[in-house]
Amino acid sequence: MGISPRKRLGALGRHQIESLSEWLRARRASTGPDIARGRLVVVAGPTAVGKGTVVARIRERHPDVRFSVSATTREPRPGEVDGIHYYFVSNEEFDRLVADNEMLEWAIVHGQNRYGTPRRPILDAIEAGDSIILEIDIQGARQVKAAMPEAILVFLLPPSWDELVRRLQSRGTEDAEEQARRLETAKVEFDAQHEFDETIVNDDVDTAAEAVVQLMSGN
């Protein structure tokens, strides 16, 4: 464009600004409608709403999408693999990660176990221009938004309260006392949906998964 590399943006002439604007428009157009680069999409919602199921479907259908792996102090559930679904760490290791400021966010969930997002993998992905999905609880989503205001927060909703109760009871991973505690937490979590940028009803897993991917593409 014939613009000196020493020229400051504010000192560009009218024709130089037009040339630069045209070049930027052409560059944006050349990237096409593919997933936007460098976006962090945070998926959260009440317990048993199906966050894990939606994220798993995105993994199946969009192998190019990157996912953040959270660390937790809880025990693995059947079928969960360390380093893929979560980093399963001891309480002592979790304490170290927090003390060394290696967590982007962390929280105590349901009054028992701690969950957190290692900071460096998220920042590395964004700096490399890669979009990434982070599935966490609502407390963590608030912390991420405070640390990274540009993050897109998605609140996943069930079709109804009765359906949420059915999903929790049918998965069989908690006893009756734990189910009751989680449902009480869910009532409070529902009130937080206005804090999120987008809401998606998880009535159909495929539809919900594609809606999340569309947010990554900026549509």
Side-chain angles (χ1 to χ4, degrees):
M1 291 176 285
I3 300 175
S4 168
R6 303 180 128 206
K7 194 92 165 178
R8 292 181 177 273
L9 187 62
L12 294 180
R14 180 171 63 85
H15 294 298
Q16 292 174 322
I17 292 175
E18 289 175 354
S19 296
L20 180 59
S21 297
E22 182 178 348
W23 181 84
L24 289 171
R25 282 194 296 269
R27 185 181 181 189
R28 282 197 297 267
S30 69
T31 62
D34 294 335
I35 289 176
R37 313 313 295 167
R39 284 191 167 200
L40 172 60
V41 175
V42 178
V43 179
T47 183
V49 74
K51 299 186 295 293
T53 303
V54 169
V55 169
R57 189 60 51 87
I58 297 173
R59 287 181 186 273
E60 294 173 6
R61 294 190 163 198
H62 300 276
D64 54 323
V65 174
R66 293 185 60 175
F67 298 86
S68 171
V69 179
S70 298
T72 180
T73 58
R74 76 160 170 78
E75 293 296 318
R77 292 174 182 154
E80 290 183 329
V81 179
D82 183 50
I84 296 179
H85 298 94
Y86 288 95
Y87 294 115
F88 296 100
V89 302
S90 65
N91 280 297
E92 293 74 18
E93 175 63 9
F94 202 99
D95 288 339
R96 186 196 67 78
L97 292 169
V98 172
D100 293 346
N101 198 32
E102 294 183 22
M103 289 293 193
L104 179 62
E105 59 79 29
W106 72 274
I108 299 174
V109 181
H110 305 300
Q112 293 181 319
N113 299 299
R114 288 182 290 174
Y115 292 76
T117 302
R119 180 186 301 272
R120 179 41 55 190
I122 293 286
L123 297 181
D124 286 347
I126 298 301
E127 290 168 5
D130 292 331
S131 292
I132 188 166
I133 290 178
L134 171 58
E135 176 205 341
I136 52 175
D137 69 290
I138 290 172
Q139 297 177 63
R142 288 171 174 146
Q143 293 182 52
V144 171
K145 193 67 171 179
M148 301 180 66
E150 69 275 17
I152 302 171
L153 266 56
V154 180
F155 193 92
L156 210 58
L157 285 164
S160 67
W161 176 259
D162 289 343
E163 175 61 15
L164 184 75
V165 174
R166 187 198 67 78
R167 291 178 184 179
L168 178 60
Q169 293 175 341
S170 64
R171 72 185 186 183
T173 54
E174 298 88 13
D175 59 24
E177 182 179 353
E178 176 64 14
Q179 288 177 7
R181 180 163 54 246
R182 286 175 178 259
L183 287 174
E184 284 302 313
T185 301
K187 292 178 182 178
V188 177
E189 291 173 333
F190 264 90
D191 293 336
Q193 58 183 282
H194 70 279
E195 302 175 32
F196 286 66
D197 302 305
E198 303 285 344
T199 57
I200 296 174
V201 177
N202 184 21
D203 191 7
D204 177 79
V205 174
D206 290 337
T207 302
E210 292 305 315
V212 173
V213 172
Q214 285 298 311
L215 290 175
M216 298 186 78
S217 67
N219 297 327

